[in-house]
Amino acid sequence: MSNVKQISLALCGFGTVNQLLCSLLIEKKEEILNGHGIEFIVRVVLDSKGGVACVNGLNYSELLNHKRSKQSVNSFQPNVNEIIHSDNKLELLKQFDYDILVEASIVNLKDGGDALKYSKQALENGKSLVLANKGPLVCDFDGLHELAKQKNSHIAFSATTCGGLPVVNVGKRDLLVAKFTKVEGVFNSTTNFILSQLAKGETFETALKEAQQIGVAEADPSLDVDGWDTAFKLYIIMRSVCSYKCSLSDISITGVSKVTPEELSSANKNGNTVKLVAKAELDPSGKSYALSVRPEVVPNTSFIGGIKGWEMGVRFSTDIFSSIEMKIDEKAPLATAAAVLRDLIHTGKML
C-alpha cells in the first residue's frame, strides 16, 4: 500500500491494558493499514522494573510471551541488534525518538506520580499523548493541555472515562455548541457489578473479589467502592466535554460500602434498584453545576436503572440535542484497550 504512515509508540506501563493493545495491534494490523493507512511500531516499553527499547521496533508477540511468563521487559532478550535495556525509564524515553506516548501505568492520584512526569516530558519534547491513566488528567488537567497547546501536540484520553464507551468523543465532537443541562450516569462497572450481586444475596467481599480476579477493579479497591473513580471520571467529563472549570472538591462523594442487601431488597420490592450515580446538574442561573457521586434509588425501568452488571452508561441532557443515552457492557478491559487504539488512530492521522 502506498502512502503508509509509520507511527512510533512508547508504552508506559505494560499491564493488562497495554498488553491487550499489543494484541489488538497484531490482530487488527491489516484493518489499521488498509482502512487508515497507518503502521504502528512500538519502540519503547516500560514496566514497573525498567524498560526496553529498539529503534527498529519491538516484536509484539515475543514481548507479550516474555511478559506473560512473569518477567520484566527489562530482561527481554530478542535475537536482534540495537536492543537497549535500562532501569532509568525517564532517560530511556529521552534517548529514543517516538511519535506518541501511551500512558497506562498504575494510577497515582496524589500527585500524578511518574505517569505525570512521563506525560509532561513527552509533551515538552513535542510528542503526542494518549492516556488510559486518569492520574495525569486529574492532577494537572490544565497544565497538560496548556503544554500541548504550546508545543502543538495532541492529547487524547477517551479510555479514561468508562473504558470503551465514547463518552468524551461523542460529547466533544458530536454535541457541538450544546448547553449541557444535566450529565448523569453509572461510570464504574465494578461498583455496578457489586450492587447487582448484593441484590442477588451475595456478600460485598465476594463480589469485590470476583471483580478483582477478572481484572476490572482498580488496584486499590477503595477508589471504586468509595466513589473516587466515578468522581475522577465526572471531573474529566466536566472539564473536557462541558468546558466547566471545577475541582474534585466541588464534587460531593459518597461510595457504596454502606449499601446493604436489605436496602437493595427493599428497593426491588418497589420496582426500583440502587445505583452509584454520577450527576452534574446546571443550576437555574446557567453558570454553575451541582456535582455529586452517590448511591441513588432509581426505577428499574429508567435508563440509569437499566445499566446492569458490568455495564456503564451516560446520559447527556442538552438544550438542542435533547437527551443522548449510551451504555456499554464491559466485563473485561479489552474495550479499554480498544479505546486506546481508537485514540491512537485519530491522533496518528493528525501527525
Side-chain angles (χ1 to χ4, degrees):
M1 180 179 178
S2 60
N3 299 320
V4 173
K5 181 187 287 187
Q6 283 196 340
I7 303 293
S8 56
L9 309 177
L11 308 184
C12 286
F14 205 51
T16 303
V17 171
N18 270 344
Q19 287 182 46
L20 285 170
L21 173 63
C22 283
S23 296
L24 286 173
L25 290 175
I26 296 168
E27 179 186 344
K28 298 292 185 178
K29 181 178 180 179
E30 294 304 314
E31 288 92 335
I32 296 167
L33 187 63
N34 296 329
H36 304 282
I38 294 174
E39 180 183 14
F40 289 111
I41 298 171
V42 175
R43 284 190 175 150
V44 184
V45 178
L46 310 179
D47 64 14
S48 60
K49 296 182 180 178
V52 60
C54 179
V55 68
N56 295 319
L58 296 158
N59 183 289
Y60 305 146
S61 296
E62 292 179 2
L63 189 59
L64 284 170
N65 288 335
H66 178 81
K67 186 67 178 179
R68 287 166 181 166
S69 67
K70 309 298 183 183
Q71 299 183 73
S72 168
V73 298
N74 200 18
S75 62
F76 180 53
Q77 295 286 356
N79 189 26
V80 295
N81 296 323
E82 301 180 353
I83 286 283
I84 292 181
H85 301 88
S86 179
D87 295 328
N88 191 326
K89 293 179 276 189
L90 203 60
E91 285 301 317
L92 196 61
L93 287 173
K94 287 181 181 178
Q95 183 178 351
F96 272 79
D97 190 34
Y98 60 89
D99 298 307
I100 306 174
L101 180 76
V102 181
E103 172 45 62
S105 61
I106 293 175
V107 177
N108 178 326
L109 293 155
K110 294 180 180 178
D111 58 10
D114 287 342
L116 182 56
K117 294 176 186 176
Y118 300 150
S119 298
K120 284 188 170 181
Q121 177 186 272
L123 295 172
E124 283 279 7
N125 293 331
K127 314 301 182 186
S128 289
L129 177 64
V130 168
L131 292 161
N133 186 340
K134 295 179 286 292
L137 288 171
V138 170
C139 294
D140 198 4
F141 188 96
D142 290 322
L144 290 172
H145 281 81
E146 183 59 35
L147 196 52
K149 185 177 179 181
Q150 290 173 6
K151 299 294 182 177
N152 197 29
S153 298
H154 305 282
I155 303 179
F157 46 88
S158 71
T160 64
T161 56
C162 303
L165 193 68
V167 178
V168 172
N169 306 53
V170 170
K172 291 182 67 176
R173 182 193 63 225
D174 300 323
L175 304 182
L176 294 176
V177 306
K179 177 182 287 185
F180 294 89
T181 54
K182 183 186 287 187
V183 179
E184 59 185 328
V186 173
F187 297 162
N188 184 277
S189 59
T190 298
T191 52
N192 203 43
F193 172 74
I194 289 172
L195 291 172
S196 296
Q197 296 306 100
L198 284 176
K200 296 176 182 177
E202 198 168 282
T203 67
F204 188 95
E205 292 74 17
T206 301
L208 175 59
K209 186 176 181 180
E210 184 174 345
Q212 290 173 318
Q213 288 173 340
I214 291 170
V216 175
E218 292 286 351
D220 177 0
S222 67
L223 295 176
D224 292 316
V225 300
D226 291 342
W228 286 102
D229 180 71
T230 298
F232 299 144
K233 292 171 181 175
L234 179 61
Y235 169 80
I236 292 169
I237 292 167
M238 296 308 296
R239 295 301 314 272
S240 60
V241 175
C242 301
S243 300
Y244 181 64
K245 189 139 186 171
C246 60
S247 66
L248 282 173
S249 61
D250 295 321
I251 305 174
S252 173
I253 306 169
T254 304
V256 300
S257 58
K258 293 184 180 179
V259 176
T260 66
E262 290 75 22
E263 289 176 276
L264 285 157
S265 177
S266 175
N268 188 55
K269 288 177 182 177
N270 293 302
N272 299 318
T273 188
V274 178
K275 298 292 178 183
L276 182 65
V277 179
K279 187 178 292 183
E281 293 186 275
L282 190 65
D283 73 7
S285 73
K287 295 180 180 179
S288 63
Y289 288 87
L291 306 174
S292 64
V293 172
R294 61 174 176 256
E296 292 190 10
V297 177
V298 296
N300 279 316
T301 55
S302 66
F303 170 71
I304 298 296
I307 302 172
K308 301 184 182 299
W310 293 106
E311 293 178 339
M312 294 178 284
V314 64
R315 177 199 285 131
F316 291 119
S317 298
T318 74
D319 59 341
I320 58 176
F321 292 104
S322 188
S323 294
I324 307 290
E325 299 171 346
M326 303 182 292
K327 69 177 182 177
I328 188 172
D329 188 357
E330 188 169 334
K331 183 177 182 179
L334 178 61
T336 299
V340 173
L341 178 57
R342 173 178 66 204
D343 284 349
L344 284 173
I345 293 170
H346 286 315
T347 303
K349 289 181 176 181
M350 293 188 286
L351 299 182

